[in-house]
Amino acid sequence: MARPRLFRLWLVLGSVLMILLIIVYWDNVGTAHFYLHTSFSRPHPTPGQGEDQDAEDFLDKLLGSGKPGDLSGRKTEPPPAGPSRPAQSHLEESVRGYDWSPHGARQSPDQGRQQAERRRVLRASCANASLAFPTKERSFDDIPNYELNHLIVDDRHGIIYCYVPKVACTNWKRVMIVLSESLLDRGAPYRDPLDIPREHVHNSSTHLTFNKFWRRYGRFSRHLMKIKLKKYTKFLFVRDPFVRLISAFRSKFELENEEFYRRFAMPMLRLYANLSSPPSSVGEAFGAGLRVSFANFIQYLLDPRTERLAPFNEHWRQVYRLCHPCQIDYDFVGKLETLDEDAAQLLRLLRVDGHLRFPPSYRNRTASSWEEDWFAKIPLAWRQQLYKLYEADFVLFGYPKPENLLRD
């Protein structure tokens, strides 16, 4: 009698373990290989088209119910009634909540042409067969859920923002919190972006991101993402890739940051600065004058062992890996070099410029004119390898090749 009971116990435990493994796997990978390819992905034959179409029809009806707040899973305050609130008579308005569409919004001809050119360069680069980089040819369906964690969704206004660290993302996250009313201050939503504490801004629980859809919507998650990508306004902000690296180094390694010291600086000091036993805390290290150099940082980025252990940290990961610009057709591409003008233009296009202003620019911003000084002591061969590592970001977003850094 004991053996059958023991067998049944092991069977139950094995089944529970298998279920847990499946849940963990799908939470990471999600539906990456299960769904039909739509206009967001390069099509190729997939079985089960009828079932997927039924699911998409169901989602269209669900989204057309006029309750976008229910889909977002967030409890937000109802917006004040006023002349800017349009009637929700069409599917797009139902999905968007309000018509914050950029169509028809006023903008100067020069700004419109500049934005059209940026998007043209991006699309042409994605279509250019001579530009090759990892993940370029995959479809949106092939992107694992965990790689969609930078896409922040505001269902109240129909906006999707892909944040890129070291490109004004703190303030753009603040703007998204105000618009989505995802964070309350003593029971009321924040109205001024600068009132939001920095620690709340970078708390992942504050934002609704695409990687959370699988838990909420299960098998419908990819379809729902695609519908939102089709109907919402999508934007990102980018920066000269080399200047972004300098900015990341300055903020994470020139200032006392315990987390980055333990996770990154200590291994760099061991591997590239010949320190077998670096101090155990950033305070001790800085007190002893031991700091990671910019050259150590570049060595770390170029070392093939780095990404064998873990993907690049988001502060120096390439933009094409964070935001998937060849799989997602962005409506607006802003640049840090023209942040003030681009931010004002985008808020006008979204018709929210009457509700809030983009916070003032940080005046101690890392400047592109610093590049030559920072790279002066970096060997030419390293600079050339580094360019190859970030070449896709240069080309996709129209940044000129830094020839002055890549030749003697």
Side-chain angles (χ1 to χ4, degrees), residues 231-283:
K231 299 179 183 299
Y232 285 14
T233 300
K234 306 164 293 295
F235 77 93
L236 79 166
F237 272 72
V238 296
R239 185 180 196 175
D240 179 288
F242 279 4
V243 180
R244 180 172 168 244
L245 288 180
I246 297 170
S247 178
F249 176 81
R250 290 179 67 206
S251 69
K252 301 306 176 186
F253 301 111
E254 288 200 331
L255 303 176
E256 291 193 20
N257 186 312
E258 193 67 45
E259 178 192 358
F260 275 77
Y261 176 77
R262 290 179 180 274
R263 288 181 58 193
F264 303 106
M266 287 180 69
M268 289 184 206
L269 291 172
R270 289 193 191 100
L271 288 169
Y272 314 118
N274 296 319
L275 282 177
S276 57
S277 299
S280 59
S281 72
V282 67

Side-chain angles (χ1 to χ4, degrees), residues 38 51-61 223 227:
T38 67
E51 294 178 7
D52 284 332
Q53 187 60 49
D54 290 342
E56 191 153 343
D57 291 342
F58 169 76
L59 281 173
D60 271 339
K61 291 177 183 177
H223 289 296
I227 290 173

Side-chain angles (χ1 to χ4, degrees), residues 145-340:
N145 279 342
Y146 64 85
E147 291 187 17
L148 298 172
N149 61 331
H150 280 243
L151 292 156
I152 298 176
V153 182
D154 168 24
D155 282 316
R156 296 187 71 247
H157 303 91
I159 301 170
I160 296 173
Y161 162 52
C162 184
Y163 72 90
V164 179
K166 307 314 301 174
V167 190
C169 77
T170 299
N171 282 336
W172 277 117
K173 284 182 178 181
R174 285 186 168 119
V175 168
M176 294 295 285
I177 289 171
V178 170
L179 292 176
S180 64
E181 298 187 354
S182 60
L183 191 63
L184 303 181
D185 179 29
R186 288 171 290 191
Y190 283 96
R191 298 300 181 195
D192 184 348
L194 287 178
D195 288 341
I196 305 171
R198 188 180 182 90
E199 62 268 21
H200 295 328
V201 173
H202 295 296
N203 188 330
S204 61
S205 64
T206 302
H207 306 281
L208 174 63
T209 48
F210 265 8
N211 65 306
K212 298 177 182 177
F213 275 38
W214 172 251
R215 285 182 182 173
R216 294 184 178 208
Y217 310 115
R219 65 186 292 261
F220 296 119
S221 60
R222 285 282 159 156
H223 289 296
L224 188 55
M225 290 179 202
K226 292 175 184 178
I227 290 173
K228 290 178 187 290
L229 285 170
K230 183 177 181 181
K231 299 179 183 299
Y232 285 14
T233 300
K234 306 164 293 295
F235 77 93
L236 79 166
F237 272 72
V238 296
R239 185 180 196 175
D240 179 288
F242 279 4
V243 180
R244 180 172 168 244
L245 288 180
I246 297 170
S247 178
F249 176 81
R250 290 179 67 206
S251 69
K252 301 306 176 186
F253 301 111
E254 288 200 331
L255 303 176
E256 291 193 20
N257 186 312
E258 193 67 45
E259 178 192 358
F260 275 77
Y261 176 77
R262 290 179 180 274
R263 288 181 58 193
F264 303 106
M266 287 180 69
M268 289 184 206
L269 291 172
R270 289 193 191 100
L271 288 169
Y272 314 118
N274 296 319
L275 282 177
S276 57
S277 299
S280 59
S281 72
V282 67
E284 291 178 59
F286 276 44
L290 297 174
R291 304 189 186 196
V292 167
S293 69
F294 188 59
N296 295 154
F297 179 54
I298 300 302
Q299 284 177 284
Y300 168 81
L301 295 175
L302 297 178
D303 192 333
R305 295 172 293 182
T306 298
E307 290 219 88
R308 289 182 198 146
L309 296 174
F312 276 174
N313 178 268
E314 63 177 5
H315 291 85
W316 45 83
R317 194 180 308 165
Q318 296 91 331
V319 176
Y320 76 82
R321 296 170 63 185
L322 296 172
C323 295
H324 319 290
C326 290
Q327 289 76 29
I328 296 174
D329 186 16
Y330 285 94
D331 302 293
F332 190 94
V333 179
K335 293 191 174 185
L336 194 74
E337 293 81 3
T338 51
L339 175 62
D340 294 338

Side-chain angles (χ1 to χ4, degrees), residues 107-118 345 349:
Q107 60 178 323
S108 74
D110 288 343
Q111 288 177 320
R113 282 193 291 268
Q114 181 188 64
Q115 195 54 225
E117 176 62 14
R118 289 176 183 175
Q345 180 189 7
L349 292 173

